[in-house]
Each structure stands twice: as C-alpha cells, then as structure tokens.
Amino acid sequence: MKAFLSLLVMVSFIGIPIRAVAQTASELDAAKKAYEDALGRITGDTTDLQTLSSGYLKNLEKLAQTLQKAGNLNGLLAAGNEKDRFVKEGTAPGIPGPETPTELGAMESAYIKDLKSIEARKAGKIVALADAYDKSLEKLQKKLTMDGKIDAAMAVKKEREALKESDAYVSATREVAEQAPPTTPQASEKTPDAAGQDLRKSLVLYYPFD
C-alpha cells in the first residue's frame, strides 16, 4: 500500500484525482489504471501546441502585411502560401531553404524549435510518470514476494517489463535523450532514466510514506 500511495502522490499532483482509483481493485490494477489515466492526460494535452499554432498564424499574417507594405511580392506570396499550407495541413514547416525569404525562414525556424521544446517537455513528463509508476511497482513486487504471494509478484514483474517496452515509454526516453544538451561531460553521460528522474524531482512532491 505504501508503494501505491507514492504513485497516488504523483498522479494527484499532475491532475488526476485520487478518487478515480477504485478502492475495490487490486493494488496492481488500481496502480495501472492511475498510470494510464495520467498518461492519457499528458498525451492528450494540446494546450501548448494550440498556443504555438495560433501564434504562428498571427505572425504569418503580420509578416504578409509587412511584406505587402514593403512591396515585396515574392515574400508576400511565400508567406501567404505557408499560411494556406499550415491551415490545411496543420503540420510543422520544413527546414527553410535558400529560396525562402529571410523573414519567413526565421519564423519557420522558430516554430520548429518551439515545437521540439513542447515535444521534449511532454516526453519528459511521460518518462517522469513512468519512472514513478515503475518505482511503485518495484515496492509492490518486493512486498508481495516477502508475503509469499509469488504469482502476484510475477504479475507485477511482467507489468514492469511491459512498461519499459511500451511505445509511449520507448518514444519518450528517445526524445529526452535526443533533446538533452551535452553541455558538460556530466550532462552528456546522463541516461534517459536519469534525465527522467531529474524531471520527476521537479514535478513530484515527496512525502515520507516509507
């Protein structure tokens, strides 16, 4: 139960209500549901992306107006084409080429950079959540083993293995590793798990349950 409470602290802190976990469910089932609910909340959060996208469109409109006033026809057409493309597709622009007007290229590059930051933050939250979930399962596995409930402990072990192999966790750890800047030898040697633990420390309020 102490292990499960640790996960509940993490889940309640990021916005999943504790009451969402059925009290009648087994500890493993309840912990798994809490994790999946929290994961869905993280992956489904598009607030930052919507803010970025709306800002990008507004900036494109302003740029088009500026280029029109300056009599820059090619730049105006390029900005208009990018706006139409973005409204239709909703995807990030490609890397600006030499033919891209300077002002538009800078705007596209800024969007790509900000999008990568949003994706990195989301990946970091997923790694942090998964790490907290795994830690709670590790404690539960140990408790069940000590109590002689070997089948139940094996089920927890299987869930921990599935967690590490899940698409969400694998993708998130890869994203965290790619975005981590190797500014110092110590930073460059950090593993994805270590990076996730650092972020988790900034997200989670710890209480002395153990």
Side-chain angles (χ1 to χ4, degrees):
M1 183 57 69
K2 290 182 179 180
F4 180 50
L5 285 175
S6 297
L7 179 63
L8 288 184
V9 173
M10 174 69 178
V11 169
S12 61
F13 183 74
I14 64 175
I16 303 298
I18 293 178
R19 63 177 178 276
V21 183
Q23 295 180 352
T24 57
S26 69
E27 287 190 67
L28 176 57
D29 289 342
K32 184 175 181 178
K33 183 180 185 305
Y35 169 73
E36 291 176 347
D37 287 348
L39 179 62
R41 181 71 62 87
I42 293 172
T43 57
D45 184 5
T46 60
T47 303
D48 290 342
L49 180 58
Q50 290 175 353
T51 300
L52 175 63
S53 297
S54 61
Y56 183 57
L57 281 175
K58 290 180 181 178
N59 288 335
L60 285 173
E61 293 172 354
K62 292 180 181 179
L63 176 61
Q65 294 173 2
T66 300
L67 293 172
Q68 181 180 354
K69 292 179 180 179
N72 187 338
L73 179 60
N74 290 337
L76 173 62
L77 293 176
N81 289 337
E82 170 57 16
K83 178 186 174 183
D84 292 342
R85 182 207 67 79
F86 188 76
V87 170
K88 180 180 179 180
E89 301 177 4
T91 57
I95 298 176
E99 73 285 353
T100 305
T102 303
E103 300 89 340
L104 178 58
M107 195 172 295
E108 291 176 342
S109 296
Y111 180 93
I112 295 172
K113 180 180 179 180
D114 290 343
L115 180 60
K116 287 183 178 180
S117 296
I118 291 173
E119 293 173 343
R121 289 196 299 271
K122 180 173 289 191
K125 290 179 181 179
I126 292 174
V127 171
L129 175 66
D131 190 46
Y133 180 42
D134 182 64
K135 291 297 183 183
S136 70
L137 292 181
E138 181 181 21
K139 294 179 181 180
L140 178 58
Q141 177 182 311
K142 181 177 180 180
K143 176 180 177 296
L144 291 171
T145 301
M146 294 173 64
D147 292 344
K149 301 177 181 179
I150 306 304
D151 289 343
M154 288 296 295
V156 174
K157 182 176 183 294
K158 184 177 180 180
E159 173 62 15
R160 293 181 66 197
E161 293 171 349
L163 172 66
K164 295 297 184 180
E165 296 174 357
S166 65
D167 291 340
Y169 182 76
V170 172
S171 297
T173 52
R174 183 184 301 115
E175 181 72 23
V176 169
E178 290 176 352
Q179 295 298 326
T183 54
T184 64
Q186 292 80 5
S188 63
E189 293 171 0
K190 281 191 175 181
T191 64
D193 282 345
Q197 290 171 6
D198 287 346
L199 178 59
R200 189 186 65 193
K201 291 177 181 178
S202 67
L203 292 174
V204 187
L205 295 178
Y206 285 98
Y207 295 92
F209 290 122
D210 299 325

